[in-house]
């Protein structure tokens, strides 16, 4: 009797259970009759599938890549309007405000002011047209470079709290519009510098645009040397102003550019120190992420270099007078002090102090330069070496006159 029940259970697909139920069924051995599938459950033919997929995607465009002759297998690429609209769709509320945000107007004005300072420090009379061309052209080229920077870094800006509200990240500007804006402003700036100033200033502007957008921006994610490349970008605008005024570059111009080059390090390192987490999350290989000690060392090193450049190199190259060498001492000494504090105790407070003072330091240095340059008398307008030589000769002549008068 038991053997007959076991035989019937095996035919029906029942198996012993370890749970509270007595038996489980196994679907693999079931002998229940199969039901006929409904018509709507049957697989559709290949032709009808393609028609349905095309009908269900009304927002798509079919690009036919086949030539005039029809082949056995034609290839159609389907590009949806959703992806095409990402290049030109804009959701702006104030176009003027978004333009200013795209070009980083405050930063571009700051860069243009350094070009103006370079023009005014040149030993030539001030001409209105070249001065305006140097200032406006530098502002336009800086706007173009900043637009290219935001265009290339939009996916990474979305990962940082400081930059996640930029216009390209929140789709207030389309990539196509930003690219067009960068091209128009950049070429207009080069044209202004070439026509109203000289080709050297225009070439320096084009070179700076290329270094910022083509070297510095992609280098930020690959090498620690991006900070030095960015410092070169910051040093070129005063050269553009100086070249727009004189048409050439002399030791005084290179001294001014070196001052701007060294200023970039305490400025950027003080800014980036508190953003190490964001930079690391976005994949940027800046000093504060890859080598924290080097970040602190370069800050104090270039702060000391600024003191020597302003107090020694600037008068020797006839960029400024000896008065500027003395007046700039307390301004640079305080920068060295803040850099030393940042080196010894690299916390958020010291880095923030260093950054904010760097924003005050450069305008003060440029103001003192202008005062010393326009306060020169005829004797001070001579080169420093000639002034020292002439003073030495006058001292020798006075000694000789005293000796001759005493003998008589």
């Amino acid at each position: 009797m038991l053997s007959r029940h076991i035989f019937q259970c095996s035919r029906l697909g029942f198996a012993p259970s370890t749970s509270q139920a007595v038996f489980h069924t196994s679907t693999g051995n079931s002998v229940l009759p199969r039901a006929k599938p409904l018509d709507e459950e049957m697989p559709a033919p290949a032709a009808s599938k393609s028609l349905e997929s095309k009908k269900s995607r009304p927002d798509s465009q079919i690009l036919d890549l086949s030539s005039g002759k029809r082949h056995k297998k034609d290839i159609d690429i389907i590009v949806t309007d959703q992806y095409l609209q990402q290049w030109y769709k804009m959701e702006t509320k104030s176009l003027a405000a978004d333009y200013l945000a795209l070009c980083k107007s405050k930063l571009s004005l700051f860069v243009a002011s350094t070009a103006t300072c370079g023009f005014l420090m040149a030993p030539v009379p001030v001409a209105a047209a070249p001065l305006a061309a140097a200032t406006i052209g530098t502002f336009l080229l800086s706007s173009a470079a900043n637009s290219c920077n935001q265009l290339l870094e939009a996916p990474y800006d979305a990962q940082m709290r400081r930059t996640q509200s930029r216009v390209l990240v929140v789709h207030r500007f389309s990539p196509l519009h930003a690219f067009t804006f960068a091209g128009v402003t950049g070429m207009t700036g080069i044209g202004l510098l070439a026509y109203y100033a000289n080709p050297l200033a225009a070439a320096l502007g084009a070179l700076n645009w290329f270094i910022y957008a083509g070297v510095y921006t992609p280098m930020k994610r690959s090498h620690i040397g991006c900070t030095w490349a960015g410092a070169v970008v910051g040093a070129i605008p005063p050269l553009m102003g100086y070249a727009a005024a004189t048409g050439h570059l002399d030791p005084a111009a290179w001294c001014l550019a070196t001052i701007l080059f060294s200023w970039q390090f305490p400025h950027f390192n003080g800014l980036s120190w508190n953003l190490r987490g964001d930079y690391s999350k976005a994949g940027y290989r800046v000093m504060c992420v890859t080598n924290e000690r080097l970040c602190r060392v370069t800050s104090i090193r270039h702060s000391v270099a600024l003191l020597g450049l302003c107090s020694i190199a600037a008068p020797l190259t006839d960029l400024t007078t000896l008065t500027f060498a003395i007046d700039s001492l307390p301004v640079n000494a305080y920068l060295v002090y803040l850099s030393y504090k940042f080196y010894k105790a690299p916390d958020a407070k010291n880095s923030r102090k260093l950054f904010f003072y760097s924003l005050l330091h450069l305008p003060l240095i440029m103001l003192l330069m202008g005062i010393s340059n326009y306060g020169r008398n005829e004797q001070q307008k001579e080169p420093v070496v000639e002034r020292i030589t002439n003073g030495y000769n006058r001292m020798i002549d006075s000694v000789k006159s005293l000796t001759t008068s005493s003998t008589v």
Side-chain angles (χ1 to χ4, degrees):
M1 193 71 180
L2 180 62
S3 61
R4 190 174 68 181
H5 282 299
I6 294 174
F7 176 74
Q8 289 179 354
C9 288
S10 64
R11 292 212 41 197
L12 292 174
F14 292 102
S17 174
T18 56
S19 64
Q20 294 180 356
V22 180
F23 293 99
H24 283 300
T25 59
S26 175
T27 57
N29 298 325
S30 177
V31 292
L32 296 176
R34 296 183 178 180
K36 182 180 178 180
L38 300 176
D39 293 338
E40 56 268 17
E41 296 177 350
M42 295 294 290
S48 62
K49 277 187 177 180
S50 62
L51 289 175
E52 288 179 3
S53 63
K54 291 178 182 179
K55 289 179 181 179
S56 63
R57 301 175 69 176
D59 60 338
S60 61
Q61 299 178 4
I62 302 177
L63 305 180
D64 190 2
L65 301 183
S66 60
S67 58
K69 298 180 180 180
R70 303 294 294 180
H71 300 285
K72 292 183 179 180
K73 292 184 178 180
D74 295 329
I75 300 175
D76 295 334
I77 296 180
I78 299 176
V79 182
T80 61
D81 284 345
Q82 181 181 2
Y83 298 115
L84 293 177
Q85 288 176 359
Q86 291 179 358
W87 280 93
Y88 58 82
K89 185 178 180 181
M90 293 178 55
E91 299 176 356
T92 180
K93 296 180 180 179
S94 174
L95 190 60
D98 289 342
Y99 272 125
L100 294 176
L102 180 65
C103 70
K104 299 180 183 177
S105 57
K106 295 180 180 178
L107 176 61
S108 296
L109 282 173
F110 193 79
V111 172
S113 68
T114 62
T116 305
C117 177
F119 190 98
L120 297 177
M121 293 304 298
V124 294
V126 178
L131 175 60
T135 304
I136 298 173
T138 304
F139 178 84
L140 291 175
L141 281 165
S142 177
S143 301
N146 289 324
S147 302
C148 292
N149 174 266
Q150 292 194 54
L151 185 63
L152 294 172
E153 293 185 345
Y156 316 113
D157 287 342
Q159 304 175 38
M160 300 175 60
R161 286 180 297 175
R162 186 174 70 94
T163 57
Q164 63 186 3
S165 61
R166 286 181 174 175
V167 289
L168 285 171
V169 177
V170 297
H171 305 291
R172 294 211 309 268
F173 243 90
S174 66
L176 182 61
H177 202 124
F179 180 79
T180 305
F181 175 78
V184 171
T185 53
M187 297 307 297
T188 304
I190 293 174
L192 282 175
L193 289 169
Y195 185 79
Y196 290 101
N198 51 65
L200 177 58
L204 287 171
L207 176 64
N208 208 30
W209 183 15
F210 169 75
I211 294 175
Y212 190 82
V215 178
Y216 167 71
T217 298
M219 198 176 182
K220 286 167 68 175
R221 295 181 54 81
S222 60
H223 198 272
I224 193 175
C226 61
T227 308
W228 280 265
V232 172
V233 172
I236 292 180
L239 289 180
M240 294 166 58
Y242 201 98
T246 62
H248 64 273
L249 300 176
D250 54 20
W254 290 111
C255 179
L256 179 60
T258 309
I259 291 173
L260 267 293
F261 176 84
S262 292
W263 175 85
Q264 307 291 327
F265 290 91
H267 169 72
F268 180 74
N269 291 344
L271 167 67
S272 63
W273 187 259
N274 293 331
L275 303 172
R276 299 193 306 278
D278 277 354
Y279 279 119
S280 178
K281 184 170 63 175
Y284 290 123
R285 306 280 298 172
V286 292
M287 268 192 291
C288 64
V289 174
T290 56
N291 194 330
E292 293 185 358
R293 184 182 182 279
L294 183 62
C295 179
R296 293 180 285 131
V297 169
T298 52
S299 298
I300 191 170
R301 181 187 300 162
H302 284 276
S303 297
V304 174
L306 280 170
L307 194 149
L309 286 168
C310 293
S311 297
I312 301 174
L316 287 178
T317 57
D318 202 36
L319 176 65
T320 61
T321 63
L322 293 173
T323 306
F324 169 77
I326 299 173
D327 293 340
S328 63
L329 270 176
V331 179
N332 289 316
Y334 190 63
L335 182 67
V336 173
Y337 169 72
L338 292 179
S339 299
Y340 178 74
K341 287 187 64 177
F342 173 61
Y343 173 76
K344 296 297 290 185
D347 53 18
K349 181 180 178 181
N350 289 330
S351 63
R352 195 177 294 113
K353 281 185 177 180
L354 179 62
F355 168 68
F356 283 113
Y357 180 71
S358 69
L359 295 177
L360 178 65
H361 172 271
L362 188 60
L364 283 176
I365 290 296
M366 292 191 295
L367 179 63
L368 292 175
M369 279 185 180
I371 293 173
S372 68
N373 191 39
Y374 284 89
R376 296 186 186 190
N377 53 34
E378 293 299 325
Q379 182 181 354
Q380 289 177 332
K381 290 181 180 179
E382 298 177 354
V384 175
V385 177
E386 293 184 10
R387 292 206 302 265
I388 294 174
T389 304
N390 294 335
Y392 177 76
N393 293 333
R394 285 194 296 270
M395 183 180 66
I396 296 297
D397 293 339
S398 62
V399 171
K400 288 181 179 180
S401 63
L402 286 174
T403 55
T404 54
S405 62
S406 63
T407 55
V408 171

